[in-house]
Every structure is written in C-alpha cells, then in structure tokens.
Amino acid sequence: MSEENFKVTPWEIEGKVDYQKLIKQFGTTAIDKQLLEKLKNKTKSKKLSAFFRRGFIYSHRDLEKIIDNIDKNNFFIYTGRGPSGKMHIGHLIPFMISKWFQDEFDCNVYIAMADDEKFVFKDKLTFEEMEKTAKDNFLDISAIGLNPDKTFFFSDIEYISKLYPVALKFSKKINFSTAKAVFGFNNESNLGQFFYPAVQIVPTTFENKNCLIPAGIDQDPYWRIQRDVAEKLGYKKVVAVHNKLLPPLQGLEGKMSSSVGDTAIFLDDDSKTIEKKINKYAFSGGQPTLEEQRKKGGNTEICVVYSWLEILFEDSDEKLEQRKKDCKSGKILCGECKKYLSEKISKTLKQHQENKIKNSPLIEKYKHSGILAQKMWK
Ligand code: TYM
C-alpha cells in the first residue's frame, strides 16, 4: 500500500500512515512549538514528556483551552482499553501519558475497560475469554502506578447502569448516516456495534470540567462525534491529544498488532523472546554488507530499532542524538543497536511485570474503594 493509500479507523489500520494527511482528514490540529512551550511552562517539573518533546504526541483538539487555565485544575483525564487479547507495548502508551499528566497536574484519571466493545467487534471472542482478558489488562494498566485515590477503573459492562442514561442521550443525536460516515458501518455491522460509540463517549461528561483524552489518533472518530453533539446536550466539547502508533517490528508501516504476534512485543514477553523477536524481525534499514555499512552508514529514517528507541526506550535526548550520528557515519552496526534495544526493552518489561504483581492489590481500590471510585459508585 502506498503513502496515498492508507486507512485509519478505531478498528483497523492499513498501509503506511501519513500522519500529516490524517490531521487534514480528521480535522484536528498539529501541535506546534508554541503550544508545547506553553504546556512546559505550566508543568511542575518544567520538562515535557519525551512523547511531546519528540513529536510522538503530534496532534490535538482544543488543547490550548486546558493549558490557558491549567492552574485552576480545570480538567480531568479519560482514556481506555478494549480487551481483545494481551496487551503489547504500544497499548501502554496512552496510560503512560495519563500518568504524566496526573504527576504534573494532580488531575483525576478515568480508565474504561471497553469489554462491551471488544465483544461485539471481535467475531471469535467469547464472553468468557473477553472477561478473562479484561481482568489481565486491568492488571497491566495498574502497573503504571496511577494514584489509586484519584483514578477510577471501570468495566463498561459492570458500570453500565451509570453510563446508560447519558449514552441514550448521545445515541438519540447520532443518526445512521453519521455513524456510517464516521465509523464505516455497513450492512454487516451488528446492533451492538452501532450503539457502542454512545457508550465510549459518556465518560467525557464525568465531571463538569474539560475532559482531556490521551489516546492514539485511531480513536479520534469518537471524539469528532462527541464534539458535534456535546454542547447540544449541555456538556463540554472533549479535548484530545493524539499519539502516533508505535510501528510493528517489520517496518514503519501500519501498527503493531496483537493478532499478528510476531509484529509485536507483548507486556509478558521474557528477555529471551524479546531478543529473538528483535533479532529475527526488527527492520533496521542497514546496508547489505558490513563494508557498505561502515562506508555509507545506516538510515535512521526507515529503521524500526531507532524509531522504538526514540518513542519509548531511550530517555536521554543526548544519547539518542549520538546514536543517530554514529549510525549515519557507519560507526555502529545494526546488530549493536538491536542488542541495545533488546536490553532496554527487557529491563523495562521486567520492571513492568514486577509492578503488575506488586500493584495487583490496588485493583480493588481503583475499581471500588479508592476515594474517586467510591464517589463514582455513589
Ligand atoms: P485499544 O484497546 O485498541 O487501544 C488502547 C489504546 O492504545 C492505543 N494504541 C496504540 N498506541 C500507540 N501505538 C500503537 N501501536 C497502538 N495501538 C493502540 C489506542 O489508540 C488506544 O488509545 N475503543 C478503545 C477503548 C477505549 C478508549 C476510550 C480509548 C474506551 N474508551 C477512551 C481511548 C480513550 C480501544 O479499543 O482501544
């Protein structure tokens, strides 16, 4: 698929995504340096997360609305996960961004487990499998370490009686042709799929403040609909920041997919599996021979190994810059970068797996007994 020929919906990504074109297609706004500077000045740490610094979070809707009044604690965060299977490292990114916002601005965070969504969209997923997966996904999200008194985890199915009245209000304002145009529904789509978007929108109204959504750009169709309807129902238009999608191991096209296991690193992968996958599958854009590599250097622009370091696994801007120089000059070889990346991922995931076990007792707090959770069930 060529660059002109890509497709992004909440359920499907095909081809090499042209992120700038997507901004036009979806009608969002690019995040520019000025906006980043404003945000940075309002943070406690006076430092932006690398996702912002390196342009991985690259587009937004109305972010300036929040930044301008941020001292007044004028927003809350809402994001979510659809439990289609085990989580890969890309899925964790919006939750890491949520944690960054909570650390910097002390805001409440709401996390939806869209168990209803995945059940109606995944043909082969049984109800029992979905329930099991949802439990495990919550544990993975708990490993991020969000504040248990300022964070509410809910499963749509469990919390539906609270969501349903507002879902009904939104559903009444979204007609068949809009749903078809925005989500690509067709004659094969089932009834559950048609109603689900109304449910995903509801948490944007949980507080009478601005709702900020950190999520992949693929989720934007939901926010477009929310913004069309919210004010008519007396709610605020949602604010969003969009991250790009972590590419699959095989090349910078598309996104990592749980259903194509070898394209992804899963959160429960061990060091051996990680090393094997990186060595076997990671596309590095190096020259065909060692001699040529030394002479001509590599190409970081097409290299997945470099891209993953840039997005997730190299904190230090200086080290990243040096690696780029060393690659381009032929000083380092692809094998060395792959080894470095494997070690970085292994270390990060080992820590994640330990946190997942350590934080498992917190699930009850996130879901029911934490201060925010209690308030939400009242
Ligand atoms: P889901 O489970 O498909 O994805 C969860 C979140 O991860 C993002 N994402 C990625 N980010 C970076 N790189 C990737 N390769 C990658 N793949 C997925 C997604 O954009 C998403 O933010 N419908 C939602 C669940 C949901 C939700 C929400 C998401 C319910 N309420 C509110 C965001 C905000 C879903 O199925 O996400």
Side-chain angles (χ1 to χ4, degrees), residues 147-369:
N147 179 341
D149 283 319
K150 288 191 157 231
T151 303
F152 178 45
F153 284 11
F154 60 98
S155 117
D156 285 347
I157 294 173
E158 191 186 356
Y159 199 59
I160 195 67
S161 64
K162 307 274 186 194
L163 303 172
Y164 198 50
V166 181
L168 281 177
K169 290 184 197 168
F170 273 97
S171 72
K172 200 170 170 178
K173 297 272 180 214
I174 304 163
N175 64 27
F176 184 63
S177 65
T178 306
K180 263 198 337 197
V182 176
F183 296 105
F185 292 141
N186 58 41
N187 285 351
E188 311 310 314
S189 309
N190 64 48
L191 285 181
Q193 293 172 350
F194 269 101
F195 188 71
Y196 173 71
V199 176
Q200 177 150 330
I201 287 172
V202 176
T204 63
T205 67
F206 274 177
E207 294 186 20
N208 189 21
K209 291 179 177 178
N210 286 305
C211 171
L212 170 63
I213 309 230
I217 184 87
D218 59 313
Q219 297 295 310
D220 188 71
Y222 291 105
W223 322 135
R224 220 179 310 154
I225 295 248
Q226 194 277 2
R227 289 169 61 86
D228 280 350
V229 176
E231 286 177 345
K232 293 180 204 149
L233 295 172
Y235 300 112
K236 289 185 167 43
K237 281 187 181 180
V238 70
V239 177
V241 288
H242 306 110
N243 58 264
K244 295 179 187 170
L245 301 158
L246 189 71
L249 279 168
Q250 284 79 351
L252 298 179
E253 295 221 343
K255 73 160 185 171
M256 230 196 239
S257 168
S258 306
S259 47
V260 194
D262 290 337
T263 66
I265 300 283
F266 293 99
L267 297 178
D268 65 353
D269 280 351
D270 59 22
S271 324
K272 271 210 170 126
T273 312
I274 294 167
E275 198 186 332
K276 210 171 100 196
K277 283 187 183 172
I278 298 290
N279 283 337
K280 190 163 174 199
Y281 300 113
F283 180 77
S284 62
Q287 305 295 343
T289 65
L290 191 106
E291 233 182 13
E292 278 181 86
Q293 176 82 9
R294 290 281 185 219
K295 215 159 95 196
K296 298 182 188 157
N299 182 357
T300 53
E301 265 93 77
I302 55 167
C303 176
V304 173
V305 177
Y306 181 82
S307 156
W308 280 23
L309 286 171
E310 183 179 36
I311 295 166
L312 266 176
F313 297 104
E314 181 58 89
D315 275 349
S316 155
D317 292 344
E318 293 75 33
K319 281 191 186 166
L320 191 70
E321 198 45 44
Q322 191 59 48
R323 182 164 299 273
K324 190 185 225 172
K325 278 189 197 145
D326 290 347
C327 167
K328 291 200 176 238
S329 69
K331 191 172 165 199
I332 46 169
L333 303 173
C334 298
E336 295 169 57
C337 282
K338 283 187 173 186
K339 185 162 178 285
Y340 184 74
L341 177 65
S342 292
E343 285 167 3
K344 283 274 191 185
I345 300 178
S346 293
K347 199 169 155 217
T348 308
L349 289 193
K350 195 162 165 276
Q351 185 65 58
H352 173 87
Q353 289 152 12
E354 282 169 20
N355 290 348
K356 184 172 172 180
I357 296 169
K358 191 181 87 202
N359 290 354
S360 62
L362 290 181
I363 291 284
E364 183 45 31
K365 249 186 140 179
Y366 285 128
K367 290 180 85 175
H368 297 284
S369 61

Side-chain angles (χ1 to χ4, degrees), residues 67-84:
I67 299 179
D68 288 343
N69 289 300
I70 221 160
D71 306 328
K72 296 184 188 138
N73 187 12
N74 65 337
F75 74 103
F76 65 98
I77 296 272
Y78 160 47
T79 196
R81 157 79 184 145
S84 51

